[in-house]
Structures are given as C-alpha cells and as structure tokens.
Amino acid sequence: MIKFLDLQKITQKYSDEIHEAVNRVVDSGWYLQGKENETFEMNYAQYIGTKYTIGCANGLDALILIFRAYIEMGIMDPGDEVIVPANTYIASILAISENGLKPVLVEPSFETYQIDDSKIEEVITARTKAILIVHLYGQCAYTDKIGELCKKYNLKLVEDNAQAHGCKFNGRKTGSLGDAAGHSFYPGKNLGAFGDAGAVTTSDDELAKAVRAMANYGSQKKYVFKYCGRNSRLDEVQAAVLDVKLKHLDEDITIRKKVAKYYIEHITNPQIILPIIKNWDAHVFHIFTIRTNKRDELQKYLLDNGVQTIIHYPIPPHKQECYKEWNHLTLSITEKIHNEELSLPMSPVMTEEEAKKVVEVIDNWKCEN
Ligand SMILES: *Cc1c(COP(=O)(O)O)cnc(C)c1O
C-alpha cells in the first residue's frame, strides 16, 4: 500500500537529530517558554521574513489570537466582517466566528482553488475590517489585487499559512505578505511537530505584544493581567523538534515539488483534471490535488489497487451543521470542488517508484459511463 502520508518514515529521516533535541529538553528540566522557544521563534521569523514569531498551541489558536488581539487593540469590534474563502478548512472560519466577527464567504477560482480576487470588492461594506486569505493546499493565495484592495479600503490582511510554510510570492515568503499570519505545525503539515503546535508571524510591534500576552493569560508581567487571555503556549519539546525540522524544510519542499512535477508530466488520463502551476515558487504541495467528476469511484479504485488517498474536504463549511445559518446557500464553485477533489500521496519521503506506481494505476483507470 502506498500511504497518503508516512509520518513514521518522515521522522526516521531526521531521527538522530530529533532524538538529540528531545533528550536535551527532557534533561534540561525546563518545559515551557524557555530557550527552545526563543531559538525556534528567532529562526522561524528569519525564515518567513517577519520581525516576530510568537509560538502558540496550534494553528487555530494562532488565527484566533490575531483577531482577538485586533479587537483588544480597538482595531476591530465584534460584529465586524472578515472576508474569507468559502473553500477552506473549518479552522479559518472558526477563528473569525469565535471572536464574534462575521465571516463573509467568497468563492474560489477553479484555476487555482484560491479565493477569487475579482469577487472580493463587491462584498466589501463599511463593516469589513479584514481579508483572511488561505494558502490552500500549499499554494500562494495572495495577489497584487488583494494587496491593493486592502490599501484602498484600509483592511487588515491576515494569512492562514497552515499549509504553506516555505511558499513564495515574488521572492517573499507567505506569512510575511500581510499584517499577520497564523501557522499550524500539526503533525501532517509540511513543517510538523509531534503533537499540536502553532505560531503567529508579524512585523507589527503592537500586535506582536498583544498576541504574546493573549497567548499567556493576557499577561505581560508575571501575575499581572492586562487582557482576559487564554493559555496557548508552545511546548519546549515541540519547539526543539520544529527547529530541527525547519533546517530541512527546503529540502523537503524540493522533494515534494519533484513528486508533483512527476505527477503533472506523467498523468495522462483524460478524466483527471491536474493542478495548473504557473509559478513553481508559489506552491509547496502540502497537498497534491486532482479533480474528477467520478471522485468516489476513483478513490475506491485507487485503494483497491494499493494507493491511499484523502479528500480535502468532503463537506464545505457552509454545508456543515455547525454553521446552520449558511446551509441554504448555494456556492456552486466551492461545492463542485468539494465534490470532485482527491488528494494523491505526497510527502518528502516518497520514492520515484511509488510516484510511478500511482501514475500507472491512475492512467489505467477507465470509468464506465
Ligand atoms: C491545519 C489547518 C488549520 C488549523 O491548524 P491546527 O494546528 O490543526 O489547529 C488552519 N487552517 C488550515 C487551512 C489548516 O489546514
């Protein structure tokens, strides 16, 4: 069986360095907010190209903390609107609604699966305060047009960079393109920890201070509480592991791109829609996504032939029970993508033979009717 993602094999690749880092933390007797956080935060900020990285408990928290901080700073108020793509993982939208802000869903484009920047201006109102772009599947969602709209309407640009560490737009990394970004280091992400972990990146001094305080009970000084904050800290063990894996992130991305290129150049089955890649710097292939209108049949066929796949995602946010108020909406592009999407095996430990086998199996697929 070719696994969708073999985490055990990924860890084995850097096993010695990781064990050394974990042992160092175990032996140090210091497990939260210490040297490992400091080192990782510095190295990650440098990697992304921002003044600050603030480690936190997970990617959802990273996004929640950004909006919470803007509210505490008086830049946003509950009831204000935040524009967000309709086809994203639920966390992007939860981060908005948890803060009492109103998510305004915008359809993506079929060509990139990213938010369609030609549909943003028409939904901007006097209450719009931010655009949350999501670099979905590891592809850059930022466009010059989005940057111009933020300037024109004085909107904050927040990036959900959970899937796109290392992705670039004109030489700059995603996560440094807007005012602030949330990052997830969930184990399966391109930069993955051994459990939950996340971070906020920003170059805004005030925001960085507010986010850091908010993630630590709202405290800037021990036992003095400026905000009603939360407990969302990055463990020293996770920071140490992440710092090891950060050193290898670019090599890992290179391998992902090789696999992606192989898929794109070799899959010839006319029933498959491949991703359109115009700029190879602007995609880090967290997920290699194909589409077909016989998705469920293809998934079963692949499994029967030894290829494990995953769907990202089977149900769009506006059709979820947790957002009943949107269930009546028809967002046809989002729905079509959710009905047709299939994610092929993709990882920095995939071999050429494995990629070859995936291609062979797909090209042999003949769907009746
Ligand atoms: C994984 C993910 C998140 C949430 O990250 P967690 O660390 O699981 O909380 C947010 N947004 C997107 C697009 C993601 O893929």
Side-chain angles (χ1 to χ4, degrees), residues 54-317:
I54 301 114
C56 65
N58 56 65
L60 171 62
D61 273 11
L63 292 167
I64 288 176
L65 289 165
I66 291 167
F67 289 109
R68 234 342 248 293
Y70 278 134
I71 290 172
E72 294 292 348
M73 291 162 75
I75 288 170
M76 294 177 196
D77 290 303
D80 284 342
E81 294 165 10
V82 177
I83 292 169
V84 63
N87 65 321
T88 181
Y89 182 59
I90 201 78
S92 325
I93 297 175
L94 283 175
I96 300 168
S97 63
E98 261 226 18
N99 278 297
L101 298 162
K102 191 178 158 219
V104 175
L105 306 180
V106 171
E107 287 258 59
S109 101
F110 272 131
E111 210 172 280
T112 60
Y113 307 128
Q114 310 301 328
I115 191 166
D116 184 341
D117 64 7
S118 73
K119 291 180 182 156
I120 293 176
E121 194 161 18
E122 65 202 55
V123 299
I124 294 175
T125 73
R127 294 219 68 171
T128 308
K129 290 291 166 66
I131 302 176
L132 172 58
I133 54 173
V134 181
H135 306 298
L136 195 70
Y137 305 145
Q139 183 168 21
C140 179
Y142 181 84
T143 63
D144 288 325
K145 180 155 188 191
I146 291 174
E148 282 156 23
L149 286 170
C150 286
K151 271 210 190 80
K152 183 171 168 189
Y153 294 96
N154 193 25
L155 309 176
K156 292 292 178 195
L157 180 61
V158 181
E159 301 172 75
D160 181 338
N161 202 43
Q163 302 189 358
H165 331 100
C167 178
K168 285 185 213 147
F169 177 85
N170 287 347
R172 286 166 62 204
K173 298 259 171 64
T174 58
S176 75
L177 303 173
D179 296 286
H183 306 251
S184 164
F185 308 121
Y186 173 83
K189 299 282 158 80
N190 284 19
L191 179 57
F194 289 173
D196 279 314
V200 172
T201 54
T202 182
S203 293
D204 178 333
D205 299 335
E206 288 306 306
L207 182 73
K209 241 170 105 176
V211 165
R212 193 177 286 288
M214 198 63 69
N216 189 28
Y217 287 107
S219 169
Q220 284 169 342
K221 209 173 132 193
K222 201 165 169 103
Y223 302 134
V224 180
F225 303 98
K226 186 176 163 85
Y227 314 109
C228 296
R230 39 206 291 149
N231 174 2
S232 183
R233 297 178 293 224
L234 177 62
D235 296 342
E236 286 282 277
V237 170
Q238 303 300 353
V241 168
L242 287 167
D243 201 54
V244 168
K245 291 180 88 177
L246 177 60
K247 291 190 179 76
H248 300 287
L249 181 58
D250 285 341
E251 354 162 356
D252 285 355
I253 292 171
T254 304
I255 299 169
R256 285 176 181 273
K257 284 188 192 183
K258 242 190 213 159
V259 175
K261 206 165 187 152
Y262 188 85
Y263 283 156
I264 289 173
E265 285 172 357
H266 293 87
I267 295 175
T268 54
N269 191 325
Q271 287 185 287
I272 304 294
I273 301 169
L274 291 165
I276 302 164
I277 307 302
K278 289 187 178 149
N279 176 356
W280 283 81
D281 275 345
H283 205 321
V284 291
F285 295 97
H286 171 56
I287 286 165
F288 188 92
T289 190
I290 61 171
R291 274 172 43 225
T292 167
N293 58 9
K294 295 278 184 289
R295 189 259 319 272
D296 295 346
E297 285 93 319
L298 176 60
Q299 186 174 39
K300 185 176 177 303
Y301 162 87
L302 288 175
L303 192 62
D304 289 345
N305 286 277
V307 177
Q308 188 188 36
T309 58
I310 293 189
I311 297 166
H312 292 92
Y313 300 91
I315 307 169

